[in-house]
Amino acid sequence: MLAYKDGRLVKASLGDIAEAAYMLIQLVPPGRVTTYGSIARLLGVSPRLIGRILASNKRPIIIPCHRVVKSDGSLGGYSMKGGVGFKERLLRLEGVRLTRNKRIPRENIIDLCEELCGGKN
DNA sequence: CATCGAACCAACC
DNA sequence: GGTTGGTTCGATG
């Protein structure tokens, strides 16, 4: 269980953070992607940690980790067999348009905060 | 808009 | 205690 104090994450296990991150990733709609930093901010951890978690993700395929990219729109990385190439393919199948420099337009990138609070609520 | 470099946080060796 | 990693931000071409 995640323990927060004054909006600050004080105590948590890697697995717990991972599950929270997975949940957030799962609620990202197709055709849209989110960033490591967005998840990191919501969970109160460092973006690097999110990358580390997704890299060691316990539940591949079940978790659309391919919908998570870097804040500048680049794909970042992918731990699965296909690597970033596979990731790029999946994104394109979902309708995400990449620039010639393998970058995703800002319009396709959403913050999880927007998804959680912006749409409705 | 694309590319380079320096900073950050945590895990790993 | 030092290095690396699925990052980020700011500055320059």
Side-chain angles (χ1 to χ4, degrees):
Chain A
M1 185 56 187
L2 298 175
Y4 286 89
K5 171 152 255 169
D6 193 50
R8 171 77 182 181
L9 183 65
V10 290
K11 189 166 188 248
S13 297
L14 207 52
D16 296 326
I17 300 172
E19 286 188 45
Y22 296 157
M23 179 179 67
L24 291 163
I25 295 167
Q26 285 182 58
L27 53 84
V28 174
R32 295 283 189 286
V33 295
T34 188
T35 66
Y36 298 102
S38 184
I39 302 170
R41 276 188 322 187
L42 285 173
L43 295 182
V45 298
S46 60
R48 282 279 187 178
L49 188 54
I50 298 299
R52 180 141 285 291
I53 287 168
L54 295 197
S56 346
N57 85 52
K58 310 293 202 306
R59 312 240 133 77
I61 310 171
I62 304 175
I63 309 298
C65 44
H66 62 272
R67 286 186 198 156
V68 185
V69 298
K70 298 214 296 189
S71 63
D72 61 320
S74 58
L75 294 178
Y78 205 61
S79 51
M80 286 205 90
K81 180 161 163 267
V84 290
F86 189 64
K87 183 174 184 176
E88 177 185 337
R89 198 165 304 183
L90 286 172
L91 289 172
R92 188 147 78 132
L93 286 174
E94 294 193 342
V96 177
R97 190 64 151 143
L98 294 171
T99 68
R100 47 195 178 286
N101 272 59
K102 300 288 189 289
R103 285 246 261 279
I104 298 172
R106 274 314 244 249
E107 310 307 283
N108 288 5
I109 302 174
I110 63 171
D111 262 20
L112 286 171
C113 190
E114 295 289 301
E115 177 60 18
L116 291 171
C117 314
K120 196 118 179 287
N121 207 0

